[in-house]
Amino acid sequence: MEELKQLAEKEKRAALRLQEESLQASFREALRARDRLEAEMRQELQVQAEGEACRKLQEQQHKETEETREKIIHTVREETQECVRRCVQDAERSIREECDMKAEREKRALQDRHEEEIYELQNR
């Protein structure tokens, strides 16, 4: 009976040792699986974070591009208006000078004609 008890105890310890080894192997496998899942989750979060960062950078770049475009349009519009204003002033000055010269020529021609008429009248 004592031998059977010792044999049963021995088998029990062996079974418990095998069970413990099996549980430790399962625990190690569970730890490795957890580590893999955590790594995958970190990678997924990183991918999402990179995607969000790219989206934000694209939005910022689009905004900056739009602001730059608006500044360029504003600058070109101002320069164009200034150029048109100068061209109009130059044209007005040129036309005024032409008109003044034409009026002066007509005035001289009229004075010459009057002097000629006066000369002819005096000679008669």
Side-chain angles (χ1 to χ4, degrees), residues 54-114:
C54 285
R55 186 187 62 75
K56 286 182 179 180
L57 283 173
Q58 285 175 337
E59 286 176 3
Q60 181 180 356
Q61 184 181 22
H62 179 72
K63 181 180 175 186
E64 289 173 358
T65 301
E66 188 63 26
E67 288 173 355
T68 302
R69 187 178 79 72
E70 289 298 323
K71 285 179 184 176
I72 290 171
I73 288 172
H74 181 73
T75 301
V76 168
R77 184 176 291 139
E78 285 181 343
E79 290 174 355
T80 302
Q81 288 174 345
E82 178 63 23
C83 183
V84 167
R85 187 186 62 75
R86 280 193 310 259
C87 287
V88 167
Q89 286 177 342
D90 290 347
E92 287 175 345
R93 183 174 53 251
S94 176
I95 291 171
R96 191 176 312 113
E97 288 173 358
E98 273 185 44
C99 288
D100 288 348
M101 288 187 335
K102 183 177 178 184
E104 185 64 32
R105 280 193 306 270
E106 289 175 356
K107 178 181 167 188
R108 278 193 217 129
L110 188 60
Q111 282 177 341
D112 288 347
R113 199 167 4 116
H114 285 160

Side-chain angles (χ1 to χ4, degrees), residues 16-58:
L16 285 173
R17 199 171 32 254
L18 285 174
Q19 188 178 16
E20 183 182 356
E21 288 173 5
S22 175
L23 286 172
Q24 284 180 353
S26 294
F27 183 70
R28 285 190 298 271
E29 181 59 34
L31 287 176
R32 284 192 294 271
R34 184 196 69 189
D35 291 344
R36 279 194 310 273
L37 287 173
E38 285 178 349
E40 288 175 8
M41 195 164 71
R42 280 192 302 272
Q43 185 176 0
E44 179 64 27
L45 289 174
Q46 183 178 359
V47 167
Q48 287 177 4
E50 289 171 354
E52 181 66 16
C54 285
R55 186 187 62 75
K56 286 182 179 180
L57 283 173
Q58 285 175 337

Side-chain angles (χ1 to χ4, degrees), residues 114-124:
H114 285 160
E115 286 177 9
E116 196 175 303
E117 287 176 1
I118 290 172
Y119 179 75
E120 286 178 13
L121 286 174
Q122 285 175 349
N123 281 342
R124 280 190 201 167

